[in-house]
Amino acid sequence: MRKTFIIFLVLGISLIFNCAKVNAKADNYYFNRENVKIEYDLYEKLCEIYSKGYVEFIDQDKFDLIKNNDISKVEIIDNEENLFIVPYSTVFTTTYKRIRIVKNGSLITLQLNWLNLPSTRSYDVMGIRFDRVSLSGTPVFSQTYMQDGTYKRNSTNYLQSFSNGFGTSFLLPSGTISDLTQSIDFFYNGSGRIYGSYQHAQKSISLTNSKKYTISHTGYGNVIEFDSSIKSYYDAMSGVYIDI
């Protein structure tokens, strides 16, 4: 009798599990951390265009904006570099990272994906330069990463605005993490060219010093012109641009 009960119990659990799998597959939706319901096909496309961490924290308003645009017309300009990132110690670590600009309708995203994590984690800087274009509204910064099996987000950043663009400083997260991505979203007015740059601090630098820059075509990535006193702290990664 006991064996019969155990067999029926196992069969019952198996049936429930299989039904749950069927229902999940039939639903064919992904719910992100903001409880936004996304069709799996669209979810996978958005992860390719942006990143998993970015999509994990898209709110309903941004998702509706992105969804209502024609995904097939999204423009992506990216640039992957093999750079030697110099930490504060005498150890050199070869690090790969990819910067890209994504134009999805009127929404522009400058994004940096770390393919391998840097040894030095201090204040990095992202910047945008406008050529015959102006900013509409306020830029939104987001830093996402995986830690302890969970995606986390940090939006703390220090924005500086200029007549020809803007930049922001932010602290890289410490500890054991993976899938690190930084993004800036913004809207624009006019038509012309938008330049984007990401500069990684190769040795520890203070927030105050990281903010010592202007926006210029002669700067790193054709965007970020650091003060001569701190210029050597950053890796001079080339930038990207998009015509709009």
Side-chain angles (χ1 to χ4, degrees), residues 19-195:
C19 287
K21 285 173 62 178
V22 170
N23 289 337
K25 185 176 181 181
D27 287 340
N28 203 32
Y29 286 99
Y30 180 84
F31 289 84
N32 71 1
R33 294 287 297 276
E34 301 297 319
N35 203 34
V36 176
K37 185 178 180 181
I38 309 172
E39 290 184 1
Y40 264 113
D41 288 346
L42 179 57
Y43 169 76
E44 291 174 349
K45 289 178 182 177
L46 291 178
C47 289
E48 290 177 6
I49 293 171
Y50 298 99
S51 70
K52 287 186 177 180
Y54 180 94
V55 177
E56 193 64 28
F57 293 99
I58 290 178
D59 61 23
Q60 191 65 54
D61 289 341
K62 184 178 290 183
F63 174 68
D64 290 340
L65 175 68
I66 291 173
K67 181 182 65 174
N68 292 334
N69 292 325
D70 186 347
I71 297 297
S72 66
K73 294 182 179 179
V74 170
E75 295 181 56
I76 303 173
I77 308 295
D78 65 18
N79 178 17
E80 183 177 327
E81 288 198 357
N82 176 357
L83 295 175
F84 285 98
I85 305 301
V86 187
Y88 198 63
S89 67
T90 57
V91 179
F92 288 72
T93 304
T94 303
T95 302
Y96 299 84
K97 57 189 187 295
R98 179 187 296 115
I99 186 172
R100 60 172 46 182
I101 286 182
V102 180
K103 181 182 182 298
N104 190 333
S106 58
L107 177 66
I108 300 292
T109 302
L110 177 67
Q111 187 172 92
L112 191 287
N113 302 111
W114 286 96
L115 308 182
N116 289 292
L117 293 176
S119 299
T120 301
R121 302 186 196 174
S122 190
Y123 284 97
D124 286 3
V125 179
M126 295 180 82
I128 291 288
R129 181 169 67 87
F130 296 124
D131 181 2
R132 292 163 289 139
V133 180
S134 61
L135 178 67
S136 175
T138 303
V140 176
F141 171 82
S142 179
Q143 180 170 232
T144 64
Y145 53 94
M146 178 77 76
Q147 188 173 51
D148 298 326
T150 303
Y151 273 110
K152 298 184 179 181
R153 176 177 59 179
N154 180 14
S155 59
T156 301
N157 70 112
Y158 303 89
L159 186 71
Q160 297 190 105
S161 297
F162 302 86
S163 61
N164 60 341
F166 62 88
T168 189
S169 300
F170 49 90
L171 184 64
L172 296 187
S174 59
T176 302
I177 62 172
S178 61
D179 203 11
L180 176 61
T181 299
Q182 290 87 12
S183 304
I184 296 179
D185 293 324
F186 62 93
F187 298 94
Y188 66 92
N189 291 317
S191 60
R193 180 172 288 184
I194 296 176
Y195 294 84

